[in-house]
Amino acid sequence: MADDQNVPELFELNNGTMRVKISNHGCTITSLLVPDKNGNLADVVLGFDSLEPYLKGAAPYFGCIVGRVANRIKDGKFTLNGTEYSLRINKPPNSLHGGRKGYDKVVWDVVEHNDGENPSITFKYHSHDGEEGYPGDVNITAKYTLTSSTTMRLDMKATPENKPTPVNLAQHTYWNLAGHNSGNVLEHSIQIWANHVTPVDQNTIPTGEIMPVKGTPFDFLTEKKISTSIHEVPGLGYDHNYVLDCGEEKSGLKCAAKVKDPSGSRVLKLWTNAPGMQFYTGNYVNGVEGKSGAVYGKHAGLCLETQGFPNAINQPNFPSVVVQPAEKYEHTMLFEFSSE
């Protein structure tokens, strides 16, 4: 019989300034209300009003945590310590975001839910040996905390129990700082503290090259509108891993990106300890019926998925994503909202 606490539910974190709704289904942020410079609240994440569309798989990874390994693994195969592992191919020819039933599609346990000045919620999940083809049991926690009036922190931790395994968790929220129902994000400006990207082949798998962004459409070292160079990017838009190699550091986290809505009235600055960040401009979003009757089209939101590099398990020159038993994987993201 199913454990009673494993029913998909919605929980709220509210510190009086910012309000966040999060489900134990996939640790999914379904709503995030944050004020602009005049104090007007808007919901700045794409999503649905009820949990049902998430459970039915209608969301293209809206708001959730993906794993055991985020992003693509080439041909759904890798070899670790001489053993070849085959994963579920859910985005042919590759395995994407953990496979057919990744961590975004399971119901996590709620370990702790605190109100007060710094409200927080902690989820945990036990991933079993062989799940979606991955080796070994892994214990995972994800804790969301409102650390100040307009700052949210996410701490993701994973400990393999008995076998080495790749671990690469990512938070897949689609942001639109003008409001989830305001149209596309092409007029948002963004700055990304990355001198390099990892170019991809026709199946969106990194070639292994670490390419300087200077003089390419991938250069966001100084703030610019997303629309400026998006038409020069091969394919449908940005869907690339940035090498976070030049952001200022504070408290063990480095500055990854800063996004502004067109009027400049909402700004999001993202800090992380991860080596890379997938910058994705919602290229495949197509007529999704979202909250309050909004219809999300192409580029309706942007994702800033801090992560280990895509397909790192098959790329010896990328930072390793393998975690040994008794070692701990720790990935933190700090979302700092402000206005200018």
Side-chain angles (χ1 to χ4, degrees), residues 162-176:
N162 38 30
K163 291 181 185 174
T165 178
V167 178
N168 182 17
L169 307 178
Q171 217 297 340
H172 208 298
T173 291
Y174 288 71
W175 302 97
N176 185 328

Side-chain angles (χ1 to χ4, degrees), residues 2-9 24 107-110 124-125:
D3 191 330
D4 284 345
Q5 69 189 109
N6 285 352
V7 173
E9 287 179 76
N24 53 344
V107 179
W108 297 50
D109 291 322
V110 178
K124 98 172 173 196
Y125 180 64

Side-chain angles (χ1 to χ4, degrees), residues 276-307:
M277 182 186 78
Q278 192 82 2
F279 173 47
Y280 172 52
T281 46
N283 311 327
Y284 301 105
V285 179
N286 180 8
V288 178
E289 287 186 35
K291 288 176 275 200
S292 317
V295 176
Y296 305 136
K298 189 178 178 185
H299 309 316
L302 61 92
C303 301
L304 306 167
E305 306 157 56
T306 61
Q307 62 180 4

